[in-house]
């Protein structure tokens, strides 16, 4: 008979986090997870990695802040020029970190 419970892991996830969200934010997170075919946890972890990247790279922080401000505050979508600049910057990061 097999043992009850989850299988053993080299990286056990024993810490728990509970957060309170508005219904609107929860719906946004749920829809994003569906669109990206990722779990809500994976979406939040990716966000955490992006914040870390912003802290370590001021130029990325400035670029992402500008895009967030334009998209959310000014209600202006990201332009094709912005997308080109972002892809160029991602290329530089790949070279810098040998990804």
């Amino acid at each position: 008979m097999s043992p009850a419970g989850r299988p053993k892991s080299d990286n056990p996830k024993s810490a728990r986090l509970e957060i309170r969200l508005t219904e609107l934010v929860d719906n946004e997170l749920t829809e994003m997870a569906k669109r990206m075919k990722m779990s809500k946890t994976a979406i939040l972890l990716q966000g955490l990695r992006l914040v870390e990247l912003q802290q370590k790279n001021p130029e990325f922080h400035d670029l992402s802040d500008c895009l967030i401000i334009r998209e959310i505050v000014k209600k202006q979508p990201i332009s094709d020029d912005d997308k080109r600049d972002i892809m160029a910057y991602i290329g530089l990061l790949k070279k810098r970190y040998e990804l």
Side-chain angles (χ1 to χ4, degrees), residues 39-78:
S39 69
K40 290 179 182 181
T41 300
I43 298 285
L44 295 173
L45 290 173
Q46 186 170 345
L48 180 66
R49 289 184 192 102
L50 286 171
V51 170
E52 182 179 16
L53 183 61
Q54 285 179 322
Q55 287 180 334
K56 290 180 179 178
N57 300 281
E59 63 275 12
F60 181 76
H61 184 268
D62 294 342
L63 173 64
S64 60
D65 278 355
C66 290
L67 295 172
I68 290 167
I69 289 167
R70 180 180 298 155
E71 184 76 20
I72 295 173
V73 176
K74 294 184 178 180
K75 305 289 186 203
Q76 295 176 350
I78 297 171

Side-chain angles (χ1 to χ4, degrees), residues 67 70-71 76-86:
L67 295 172
R70 180 180 298 155
E71 184 76 20
Q76 295 176 350
I78 297 171
S79 70
D80 288 339
D81 288 338
D82 292 329
K83 291 175 186 174
R84 236 184 337 275
D85 291 345
I86 292 166

